[in-house]
Amino acid sequence: MKGIFTALINSFDEKGNINEQGLREIVRYNIDVSQVDGLYVNGSTGENFMLSAEEKKKVFKIVKDEAGDEVDLIAQVGALNIFEAKDLAAYVTDLGYDALSAVTPFYYKFDFEEIKDYYNSILEDVDNQMLIYSIPALTGVNMDLKQFGELFENEKITGVKFTAPDFFLLERLRHAYPEKLIFSGFDEMLLPASVYGIDGAIGSTFNVNGKRAKGILKAVHEGDLGEARKLQKESNDLITAILDNGLYQTIKELLKVKGVDAGYCRKPMKKPGDEQIESAKEIGRTLLD
């Protein structure tokens, strides 16, 4: 399980309901056009933390039904409600997802023993592998090399989605645990992360920039750093424009430029205004691959 995985956008209608047809179109675009290696479902990019447990199950089922076994599928099941996380883990395992992922528990100041128990509890009743989802900027949870090592003692924990700019820790993890999967989570840092021998990357902008991301990995693996720098610069131009215009709304508008019914974001995220939509169209004309 390696390569470029799209942190999948979810499609909602104007009332905030899951738009099944739109979600299927997003899946197909990522597989057929971007030709990504896998999909990371119900992560931050999928507006997961604004969904009910039943809505999450609906998304997991639609994506699996549409993607089948064409690409690897990772289900983000993390939740503050441990019973929900365990239920979702069992549900997606039965659906045939290739791996689980779970964000570190957030909001409350959990100590490390509580965090470790959280992961072990999710995994105790399921036969599946787990990628820790480490994103300190949003969770406030920073773990060091020793703590990652303690988590990795659970044989079902096979790796980490590493969404942090700490490249010293990234290198130490790669050196200490060469058998574990490490996926980079910052799209704008894919090139430097790749140099450290990551197994792949999981990113939101891969919904519209998957081909370049795959190109960066390929160029690094082939030792062509000039090509890798060129593709990262092009990607970062696109990422800058997307961030300046509103991350999730702009990705959805860019997919619409490609003929995909990406729908809207769910409240409290706002709908894009006319100026934002026009800016997205201009981004699509000038910066998409």
Side-chain angles (χ1 to χ4, degrees), residues 3 6 40 44 64 67-68 101 108 121 131 153 156 211 228 235 280 286:
T6 296
Y40 186 89
S44 306
K64 177 60 178 177
S101 184
Y108 300 103
S121 295
L131 293 178
E153 289 175 4
K156 293 180 181 178
K211 289 181 181 178
S235 295
T286 59

Side-chain angles (χ1 to χ4, degrees), residues 238-249:
L238 174 63
I239 291 166
T240 298
I242 288 173
L243 292 175
D244 287 346
N245 199 53
L247 177 59
Y248 301 126
Q249 293 91 342

Side-chain angles (χ1 to χ4, degrees), residues 10 28-29 35 51 85 137 141 146 150 152 157 166 169 188-189 203 236 247 253 255 276:
N10 272 335
R28 290 261 53 94
Y29 183 84
Q35 298 181 339
L51 302 182
V141 178
K146 179 177 181 293
E150 287 190 41
F152 289 155
I157 298 179
D166 187 344
L169 177 56
E188 63 272 29
M189 300 180 190
N236 286 355
L247 177 59
E253 291 303 317
L255 285 169
Q276 195 174 14

Side-chain angles (χ1 to χ4, degrees), residues 52-276:
S52 69
E54 290 306 310
E55 287 173 322
K56 294 173 188 178
K57 287 182 178 181
K58 182 175 181 180
V59 170
F60 285 134
K61 186 174 182 180
I62 292 169
V63 173
K64 177 60 178 177
D65 182 66
E66 188 62 43
D69 297 323
E70 295 180 60
V71 295
D72 289 329
L73 298 177
I74 302 173
Q76 197 295 121
V77 300
L80 283 179
N81 181 341
I82 189 65
F83 299 103
E84 176 184 314
K86 288 171 66 69
D87 180 55
L88 291 174
Y91 180 78
V92 297
T93 298
D94 288 343
L95 281 178
Y97 272 70
D98 300 283
L100 310 172
S101 184
V103 67
T104 48
F106 53 92
Y107 188 81
Y108 300 103
K109 301 297 183 181
F110 298 102
D111 64 30
F112 179 69
E113 289 304 312
E114 291 169 326
I115 292 171
K116 184 164 65 171
D117 182 66
Y118 162 86
Y119 283 109
N120 291 337
S121 295
I122 292 173
L123 288 167
E124 63 185 351
D125 297 321
V126 295
D127 182 17
N128 210 333
Q129 61 179 314
M130 166 72 76
L131 293 178
I132 298 160
Y133 180 12
S134 177
I135 181 166
L138 294 184
T139 62
V141 178
N142 285 281
M143 294 186 292
D144 59 26
L145 184 65
K146 179 177 181 293
Q147 290 171 331
F148 274 109
E150 287 190 41
L151 292 176
F152 289 155
E153 289 175 4
N154 186 328
E155 293 182 356
K156 293 180 181 178
I157 298 179
T158 55
V160 56
K161 179 188 177 190
F162 189 88
T163 309
D166 187 344
F167 284 91
F168 176 65
L169 177 56
L170 176 62
E171 187 278 330
R172 293 288 80 192
L173 280 169
R174 180 73 294 166
H175 175 75
Y177 304 103
E179 77 285 2
K180 296 296 183 180
L181 295 169
I182 299 178
F183 285 83
S184 172
F186 273 136
D187 307 10
E188 63 272 29
M189 300 180 190
L190 177 55
L191 169 53
S194 299
V195 173
Y196 282 115
I198 58 172
D199 297 287
I202 300 168
S204 56
T205 62
F206 302 163
N207 280 279
V208 293
N209 197 47
K211 289 181 181 178
R212 281 200 193 102
K214 291 191 71 172
I216 292 168
L217 278 188
K218 181 175 183 289
V220 171
H221 290 161
E222 294 176 351
D224 190 350
L225 293 185
E227 176 67 10
R229 285 194 298 269
K230 170 182 173 291
L231 292 172
Q232 188 68 73
K233 187 268 182 187
E234 292 173 358
S235 295
N236 286 355
D237 287 344
L238 174 63
I239 291 166
T240 298
I242 288 173
L243 292 175
D244 287 346
N245 199 53
L247 177 59
Y248 301 126
Q249 293 91 342
T250 302
I251 290 174
K252 292 186 180 187
E253 291 303 317
L254 289 174
L255 285 169
K256 291 176 186 177
V257 169
K258 296 293 188 177
V260 177
D261 181 11
Y264 302 89
C265 294
R266 172 172 278 193
K267 288 183 177 181
M269 292 188 185
K270 59 187 178 182
K271 293 179 182 177
D274 292 342
E275 183 176 342
Q276 195 174 14

